Amino acid sequence: MKRILSALVAAALAFSMAACSAPAASTSASVSSTAASSASTGASSETAAVAKPTEDRSGAAITLPDNVETVISMAPSITQTLMDLGCTDQIIALDANSAKMENAPQGLPVFDMMTPDAEQMATLVPDVIFVSSISSSGGEDPFQPLQELGATVVCIPTSSSIEDIYEDVTFLGQVMGKTERTDEINQNLKAEIDRIAALGASIPEDQRKTVYFEISAAPSAYSTGSGTYMDEMISLIGANNMMADKAEGWTSVDSEVVVSGNPDVILTNVDYIEDPVGEIKSREGWEAVTAVKNGDVYQIDKQSSSLPNENIVSALEEMGKAVYPEVFGE
Protein backbone atom coordinates (compact mmCIF):
# COMPACT_ATOMS: atom_id res chain seq x y z
CA MET A 1 0.00 0.00 0.00
CA LYS A 2 2.82 2.42 0.86
CA ARG A 3 4.41 1.76 -2.54
CA ILE A 4 1.14 2.47 -4.37
CA LEU A 5 0.47 5.66 -2.42
CA SER A 6 4.02 6.87 -3.11
CA ALA A 7 3.53 6.18 -6.80
CA LEU A 8 0.27 8.09 -6.88
CA VAL A 9 1.78 11.08 -5.09
CA ALA A 10 4.77 11.09 -7.44
CA ALA A 11 2.50 10.97 -10.47
CA ALA A 12 0.19 13.67 -9.10
CA LEU A 13 3.06 16.05 -8.45
CA ALA A 14 4.27 15.61 -12.00
CA PHE A 15 1.14 15.50 -14.10
CA SER A 16 -1.66 17.38 -12.34
CA MET A 17 -2.79 20.11 -14.71
CA ALA A 18 -6.20 20.92 -13.18
CA ALA A 19 -7.27 24.55 -13.01
CA CYS A 20 -7.42 26.51 -9.77
CA SER A 21 -10.72 27.67 -8.35
CA ALA A 22 -10.85 30.70 -10.64
CA PRO A 23 -11.84 30.30 -14.30
CA ALA A 24 -8.89 29.43 -16.54
CA ALA A 25 -7.50 32.26 -18.60
CA SER A 26 -4.55 33.15 -20.75
CA THR A 27 -1.31 34.42 -19.27
CA SER A 28 -1.89 37.43 -17.05
CA ALA A 29 -2.32 40.62 -19.03
CA SER A 30 -0.35 42.43 -16.38
CA VAL A 31 2.85 40.73 -17.48
CA SER A 32 4.04 43.28 -19.99
CA SER A 33 6.26 40.90 -21.94
CA THR A 34 7.11 37.23 -21.80
CA ALA A 35 10.11 36.14 -19.84
CA ALA A 36 11.54 34.50 -22.92
CA SER A 37 11.67 37.87 -24.69
CA SER A 38 13.14 39.46 -21.59
CA ALA A 39 15.78 36.75 -21.47
CA SER A 40 16.76 37.30 -25.11
CA THR A 41 16.96 41.09 -25.06
CA GLY A 42 17.91 41.78 -21.45
CA ALA A 43 15.80 44.09 -19.34
CA SER A 44 16.89 47.36 -17.84
CA SER A 45 16.98 48.09 -14.13
CA GLU A 46 13.77 50.07 -14.54
CA THR A 47 11.84 46.79 -14.65
CA ALA A 48 12.11 46.85 -10.85
CA ALA A 49 9.33 49.45 -10.99
CA VAL A 50 6.89 47.16 -12.84
CA ALA A 51 3.44 47.31 -11.27
CA LYS A 52 2.22 44.35 -9.25
CA PRO A 53 0.16 41.84 -11.26
CA THR A 54 -3.61 42.19 -10.98
CA GLU A 55 -4.25 38.59 -12.04
CA ASP A 56 -2.56 35.37 -10.99
CA ARG A 57 -1.32 32.77 -13.47
CA SER A 58 -4.74 31.10 -13.60
CA GLY A 59 -6.41 34.35 -14.65
CA ALA A 60 -8.04 35.04 -11.28
CA ALA A 61 -8.15 38.66 -10.08
CA ILE A 62 -5.80 39.38 -7.17
CA THR A 63 -4.99 42.42 -5.06
CA LEU A 64 -1.42 42.46 -3.78
CA PRO A 65 0.15 44.72 -1.15
CA ASP A 66 2.80 47.13 -2.44
CA ASN A 67 5.43 45.21 -0.52
CA VAL A 68 5.07 41.46 -0.09
CA GLU A 69 7.01 40.67 3.08
CA THR A 70 5.70 37.26 4.19
CA VAL A 71 4.52 34.33 2.10
CA ILE A 72 3.38 30.75 2.45
CA SER A 73 4.41 28.44 -0.38
CA MET A 74 2.30 25.36 -1.00
CA ALA A 75 4.14 23.73 -3.92
CA PRO A 76 7.80 22.63 -4.25
CA SER A 77 8.33 24.20 -7.69
CA ILE A 78 7.15 27.57 -6.34
CA THR A 79 9.21 27.24 -3.16
CA GLN A 80 12.35 26.53 -5.14
CA THR A 81 11.88 29.58 -7.37
CA LEU A 82 11.20 31.80 -4.36
CA MET A 83 14.47 30.59 -2.87
CA ASP A 84 16.32 31.24 -6.14
CA LEU A 85 14.85 34.75 -6.19
CA GLY A 86 16.41 35.39 -2.77
CA CYS A 87 13.13 35.27 -0.85
CA THR A 88 13.91 32.39 1.52
CA ASP A 89 13.65 34.60 4.60
CA GLN A 90 10.17 35.74 3.57
CA ILE A 91 8.75 32.20 3.56
CA ILE A 92 6.92 31.63 6.86
CA ALA A 93 5.33 28.23 6.12
CA LEU A 94 5.63 25.40 3.60
CA ASP A 95 3.85 22.40 2.20
CA ALA A 96 5.16 19.01 3.34
CA ASN A 97 6.85 18.24 0.00
CA SER A 98 8.70 21.56 -0.03
CA ALA A 99 9.91 20.94 3.51
CA LYS A 100 11.69 17.77 2.31
CA MET A 101 13.67 19.59 -0.37
CA GLU A 102 17.39 20.13 -0.06
CA ASN A 103 18.18 23.58 1.41
CA ALA A 104 14.52 24.22 2.28
CA PRO A 105 14.09 26.56 5.27
CA GLN A 106 13.84 24.62 8.51
CA GLY A 107 11.68 25.02 11.61
CA LEU A 108 8.66 26.48 9.82
CA PRO A 109 5.02 25.37 10.08
CA VAL A 110 4.29 22.63 7.53
CA PHE A 111 0.91 22.02 5.86
CA ASP A 112 -0.56 19.33 3.64
CA MET A 113 -0.96 20.84 0.16
CA MET A 114 -4.15 18.83 -0.46
CA THR A 115 -5.86 19.33 2.91
CA PRO A 116 -4.33 22.40 4.58
CA ASP A 117 -5.45 23.54 8.01
CA ALA A 118 -7.00 26.84 6.91
CA GLU A 119 -7.56 28.20 10.40
CA GLN A 120 -3.98 27.57 11.51
CA MET A 121 -2.64 29.00 8.28
CA ALA A 122 -4.75 32.14 8.70
CA THR A 123 -3.22 32.81 12.12
CA LEU A 124 0.15 33.31 10.43
CA VAL A 125 -1.31 36.33 8.57
CA PRO A 126 0.80 35.97 5.39
CA ASP A 127 0.78 38.69 2.76
CA VAL A 128 0.43 36.02 0.05
CA ILE A 129 -0.29 32.29 -0.09
CA PHE A 130 1.12 30.72 -3.26
CA VAL A 131 -0.68 27.56 -4.40
CA SER A 132 -0.47 25.17 -7.34
CA SER A 133 -3.22 23.60 -9.43
CA ILE A 134 -2.19 20.29 -7.86
CA SER A 135 -4.08 21.23 -4.70
CA SER A 136 -7.38 21.54 -6.56
CA SER A 137 -6.89 18.49 -8.79
CA GLY A 138 -9.62 16.64 -6.87
CA GLY A 139 -12.21 19.18 -8.01
CA GLU A 140 -12.46 21.28 -4.84
CA ASP A 141 -10.27 24.20 -3.82
CA PRO A 142 -8.98 23.60 -0.27
CA PHE A 143 -7.85 27.22 -0.06
CA GLN A 144 -11.30 28.71 -0.63
CA PRO A 145 -11.89 29.10 3.15
CA LEU A 146 -8.74 31.22 3.34
CA GLN A 147 -9.97 33.45 0.55
CA GLU A 148 -13.24 33.86 2.42
CA LEU A 149 -11.21 34.94 5.45
CA GLY A 150 -9.61 37.64 3.32
CA ALA A 151 -6.27 35.96 2.59
CA THR A 152 -4.57 36.67 -0.74
CA VAL A 153 -4.29 33.30 -2.45
CA VAL A 154 -2.25 33.34 -5.65
CA CYS A 155 -2.44 30.35 -7.99
CA ILE A 156 0.36 29.27 -10.31
CA PRO A 157 -0.95 26.30 -12.33
CA THR A 158 1.51 23.50 -13.02
CA SER A 159 3.53 24.48 -16.08
CA SER A 160 2.96 22.46 -19.23
CA SER A 161 5.80 23.98 -21.26
CA ILE A 162 9.20 25.57 -20.91
CA GLU A 163 7.68 28.86 -22.03
CA ASP A 164 5.35 28.61 -19.02
CA ILE A 165 8.40 28.25 -16.80
CA TYR A 166 9.87 31.53 -18.04
CA GLU A 167 6.55 33.26 -17.43
CA ASP A 168 6.13 31.73 -13.96
CA VAL A 169 9.54 33.06 -12.94
CA THR A 170 8.65 36.50 -14.31
CA PHE A 171 5.33 36.49 -12.46
CA LEU A 172 6.90 35.49 -9.12
CA GLY A 173 9.56 38.15 -9.57
CA GLN A 174 6.91 40.81 -10.10
CA VAL A 175 4.91 39.71 -7.06
CA MET A 176 8.00 39.69 -4.86
CA GLY A 177 9.56 42.86 -6.30
CA LYS A 178 12.58 40.93 -7.59
CA THR A 179 12.43 41.74 -11.30
CA GLU A 180 16.18 42.26 -11.73
CA ARG A 181 16.90 38.84 -10.22
CA THR A 182 14.11 37.45 -12.42
CA ASP A 183 15.86 38.71 -15.53
CA GLU A 184 19.11 37.12 -14.39
CA ILE A 185 17.45 33.74 -13.77
CA ASN A 186 15.65 33.77 -17.11
CA GLN A 187 18.73 34.88 -19.04
CA ASN A 188 20.75 32.05 -17.48
CA LEU A 189 17.95 29.57 -18.17
CA LYS A 190 17.70 30.63 -21.81
CA ALA A 191 21.47 30.47 -22.29
CA GLU A 192 21.63 26.94 -20.88
CA ILE A 193 18.64 25.75 -22.87
CA ASP A 194 20.09 27.24 -26.07
CA ARG A 195 23.41 25.47 -25.39
CA ILE A 196 21.70 22.11 -24.76
CA ALA A 197 19.38 22.57 -27.75
CA ALA A 198 22.38 23.22 -30.01
CA LEU A 199 23.99 19.96 -28.89
CA GLY A 200 20.70 18.13 -29.39
CA ALA A 201 20.29 19.62 -32.86
CA SER A 202 23.68 18.19 -33.84
CA ILE A 203 22.26 14.66 -33.63
CA PRO A 204 21.32 13.55 -37.19
CA GLU A 205 17.64 12.65 -37.56
CA ASP A 206 18.46 9.07 -38.52
CA GLN A 207 20.61 8.62 -35.40
CA ARG A 208 18.17 9.95 -32.82
CA LYS A 209 17.40 7.55 -30.00
CA THR A 210 13.96 6.69 -28.69
CA VAL A 211 13.53 7.38 -24.97
CA TYR A 212 10.98 6.12 -22.46
CA PHE A 213 10.92 8.32 -19.32
CA GLU A 214 9.24 6.73 -16.31
CA ILE A 215 8.03 8.99 -13.51
CA SER A 216 6.22 6.35 -11.47
CA ALA A 217 7.23 2.71 -11.20
CA ALA A 218 5.30 -0.47 -11.99
CA PRO A 219 2.69 -1.63 -11.27
CA SER A 220 1.41 1.97 -11.37
CA ALA A 221 3.74 3.15 -14.13
CA TYR A 222 3.38 6.68 -15.45
CA SER A 223 5.21 8.56 -18.16
CA THR A 224 4.89 11.65 -20.31
CA GLY A 225 3.19 11.95 -23.67
CA SER A 226 3.13 15.02 -25.89
CA GLY A 227 2.30 18.50 -24.63
CA THR A 228 4.42 18.54 -21.46
CA TYR A 229 7.63 20.29 -20.48
CA MET A 230 9.28 16.88 -20.07
CA ASP A 231 8.38 15.94 -23.64
CA GLU A 232 10.08 19.18 -24.68
CA MET A 233 13.12 18.25 -22.61
CA ILE A 234 13.47 14.92 -24.41
CA SER A 235 13.28 16.71 -27.77
CA LEU A 236 15.81 19.34 -26.67
CA ILE A 237 18.53 16.74 -26.11
CA GLY A 238 17.94 15.39 -29.62
CA ALA A 239 15.91 12.29 -28.73
CA ASN A 240 12.41 11.05 -29.53
CA ASN A 241 9.88 10.50 -26.77
CA MET A 242 8.50 6.96 -27.19
CA MET A 243 5.16 8.04 -25.70
CA ALA A 244 4.69 11.24 -27.73
CA ASP A 245 2.56 9.64 -30.43
CA LYS A 246 0.71 7.38 -27.98
CA ALA A 247 -0.72 9.84 -25.45
CA GLU A 248 -1.08 13.50 -24.58
CA GLY A 249 -0.01 14.84 -21.21
CA TRP A 250 0.94 12.67 -18.23
CA THR A 251 -0.25 9.14 -18.74
CA SER A 252 -0.37 5.68 -17.22
CA VAL A 253 1.62 3.08 -19.15
CA ASP A 254 1.03 -0.63 -19.66
CA SER A 255 4.09 -2.85 -19.72
CA GLU A 256 3.19 -4.12 -23.19
CA VAL A 257 3.34 -0.57 -24.58
CA VAL A 258 6.98 -0.20 -23.54
CA VAL A 259 7.94 -3.66 -24.78
CA SER A 260 6.36 -3.02 -28.19
CA GLY A 261 7.80 0.51 -28.29
CA ASN A 262 11.28 -0.97 -27.74
CA PRO A 263 13.03 2.22 -26.54
CA ASP A 264 16.78 2.64 -27.04
CA VAL A 265 17.12 4.28 -23.62
CA ILE A 266 14.99 4.22 -20.46
CA LEU A 267 15.19 7.09 -17.99
CA THR A 268 13.53 7.13 -14.58
CA ASN A 269 13.28 9.74 -11.85
CA VAL A 270 11.58 7.36 -9.42
CA ASP A 271 13.21 7.69 -6.00
CA TYR A 272 10.78 5.97 -3.65
CA ILE A 273 12.01 2.41 -4.24
CA GLU A 274 15.45 1.14 -3.34
CA ASP A 275 16.83 0.40 -6.82
CA PRO A 276 14.60 1.81 -9.60
CA VAL A 277 17.13 1.05 -12.34
CA GLY A 278 17.58 -2.55 -11.19
CA GLU A 279 13.82 -2.96 -10.86
CA ILE A 280 13.30 -1.91 -14.48
CA LYS A 281 16.09 -4.20 -15.72
CA SER A 282 14.56 -7.17 -13.90
CA ARG A 283 10.97 -6.77 -15.13
CA GLU A 284 9.54 -9.92 -16.59
CA GLY A 285 9.21 -9.74 -20.36
CA TRP A 286 11.48 -6.70 -20.71
CA GLU A 287 14.72 -8.58 -21.32
CA ALA A 288 14.45 -8.12 -25.11
CA VAL A 289 13.85 -4.35 -24.89
CA THR A 290 16.88 -2.67 -26.47
CA ALA A 291 17.48 -0.34 -23.50
CA VAL A 292 17.41 -3.25 -21.03
CA LYS A 293 19.43 -5.57 -23.24
CA ASN A 294 22.16 -2.95 -23.67
CA GLY A 295 22.04 -1.73 -20.05
CA ASP A 296 20.91 1.75 -21.10
CA VAL A 297 18.65 2.42 -18.12
CA TYR A 298 19.51 5.50 -16.05
CA GLN A 299 18.20 7.37 -13.03
CA ILE A 300 17.68 11.13 -13.34
CA ASP A 301 17.49 13.47 -10.36
CA LYS A 302 13.89 13.63 -9.15
CA GLN A 303 13.85 17.21 -7.91
CA SER A 304 15.27 18.93 -11.00
CA SER A 305 13.26 16.83 -13.46
CA SER A 306 9.87 16.77 -11.70
CA LEU A 307 9.62 20.43 -10.68
CA PRO A 308 8.78 22.68 -13.64
CA ASN A 309 11.01 25.63 -12.91
CA GLU A 310 14.41 27.10 -13.81
CA ASN A 311 16.28 24.10 -12.39
CA ILE A 312 15.23 21.77 -15.22
CA VAL A 313 18.60 22.58 -16.81
CA SER A 314 20.29 20.25 -14.31
CA ALA A 315 18.00 17.40 -15.40
CA LEU A 316 18.53 18.26 -19.07
CA GLU A 317 22.28 17.94 -18.59
CA GLU A 318 21.86 14.56 -16.90
CA MET A 319 19.50 13.36 -19.60
CA GLY A 320 21.86 14.44 -22.37
CA LYS A 321 24.81 12.66 -20.81
CA ALA A 322 22.78 9.49 -20.28
CA VAL A 323 21.39 9.31 -23.82
CA TYR A 324 24.28 10.77 -25.82
CA PRO A 325 27.45 10.65 -23.67
CA GLU A 326 29.60 11.14 -26.78
CA VAL A 327 27.88 14.51 -27.43
CA PHE A 328 27.10 15.82 -23.93
CA GLY A 329 30.14 14.31 -22.20
CA GLU A 330 30.37 11.51 -19.64
Side-chain angles (χ1 to χ4, degrees):
M1 178 63 73
K2 181 178 180 181
R3 175 189 174 105
I4 294 173
L5 286 174
S6 297
L8 291 174
V9 169
L13 286 173
F15 70 76
S16 174
M17 303 294 291
C20 291
S21 57
S26 58
T27 301
S28 171
S30 62
V31 178
S32 59
S33 63
T34 67
S37 298
S38 210
S40 356
T41 62
S44 71
S45 60
E46 281 126 11
T47 56
V50 170
K52 297 290 187 186
T54 57
E55 292 182 351
D56 67 15
R57 292 282 285 135
S58 76
I62 54 174
T63 302
L64 297 166
D66 291 337
N67 295 307
V68 176
E69 297 180 354
T70 59
V71 302
I72 293 176
S73 179
M74 295 302 294
S77 59
I78 298 171
T79 301
Q80 198 170 58
T81 298
L82 287 171
M83 292 166 62
D84 289 345
L85 284 169
C87 300
T88 303
D89 291 344
Q90 290 165 266
I91 301 171
I92 60 172
L94 297 166
D95 68 281
N97 293 298
S98 290
K100 296 174 186 175
M101 292 194 310
E102 184 178 355
N103 300 325
Q106 301 298 304
L108 300 181
V110 174
F111 297 93
D112 187 312
M113 68 193 308
M114 306 304 290
T115 56
D117 185 330
E119 290 185 7
Q120 184 182 354
M121 194 176 287
T123 64
L124 299 174
V125 197
D127 290 328
V128 172
I129 301 170
F130 290 110
V131 304
S132 164
S133 55
I134 293 172
S135 295
S136 57
S137 59
E140 294 186 7
D141 181 5
F143 295 96
Q144 183 62 36
L146 282 158
Q147 291 178 302
E148 292 170 358
L149 289 170
T152 301
V153 177
V154 174
C155 182
I156 302 179
T158 306
S159 298
S160 60
S161 69
I162 291 174
E163 180 64 24
D164 283 344
I165 292 173
Y166 284 117
E167 294 178 0
D168 289 346
V169 174
T170 295
F171 174 80
L172 280 165
Q174 289 180 343
V175 172
M176 302 304 297
K178 298 282 188 176
T179 53
E180 290 187 15
R181 176 59 181 152
T182 293
D183 294 336
E184 182 182 351
I185 290 173
N186 278 336
Q187 287 164 11
N188 290 339
L189 174 59
K190 185 177 187 302
E192 282 300 293
I193 286 179
D194 286 349
R195 178 183 67 81
I196 290 166
L199 291 172
S202 72
I203 311 295
E205 287 288 342
D206 61 354
Q207 295 178 27
R208 298 200 166 197
K209 296 180 182 180
T210 300
V211 171
Y212 167 62
F213 199 125
E214 191 164 277
I215 62 173
S216 182
S220 304
Y222 268 84
S223 184
T224 176
S226 61
T228 69
Y229 72 90
M230 192 174 284
D231 178 55
E232 286 186 61
M233 290 168 70
I234 294 171
S235 296
L236 279 171
I237 65 168
N240 298 314
N241 178 10
M242 189 201 80
M243 295 298 299
D245 62 353
K246 296 176 174 60
E248 186 175 347
W250 308 96
T251 182
S252 60
V253 183
D254 290 331
S255 180
E256 294 78 9
V257 171
V258 181
V259 173
S260 63
N262 194 30
D264 300 303
V265 180
I266 296 175
L267 305 177
T268 177
N269 65 7
V270 171
D271 64 355
Y272 57 85
I273 60 177
E274 186 174 346
D275 181 13
V277 169
E279 189 274 327
I280 289 172
K281 289 180 176 179
S282 65
R283 287 181 189 171
E284 185 177 354
W286 286 39
E287 57 274 357
V289 173
T290 298
V292 174
K293 187 166 55 177
N294 295 338
D296 287 325
V297 182
Y298 306 98
Q299 186 171 17
I300 304 300
D301 177 65
K302 176 74 172 181
Q303 186 164 302
S304 59
S305 62
S306 67
L307 302 182
N309 63 25
E310 62 280 1
N311 293 289
I312 59 168
V313 292
S314 296
L316 277 166
E317 190 72 26
E318 279 190 69
M319 292 164 62
K321 289 179 179 180
V323 179
Y324 299 113
E326 70 281 6
V327 175
F328 287 86
E330 296 283 355

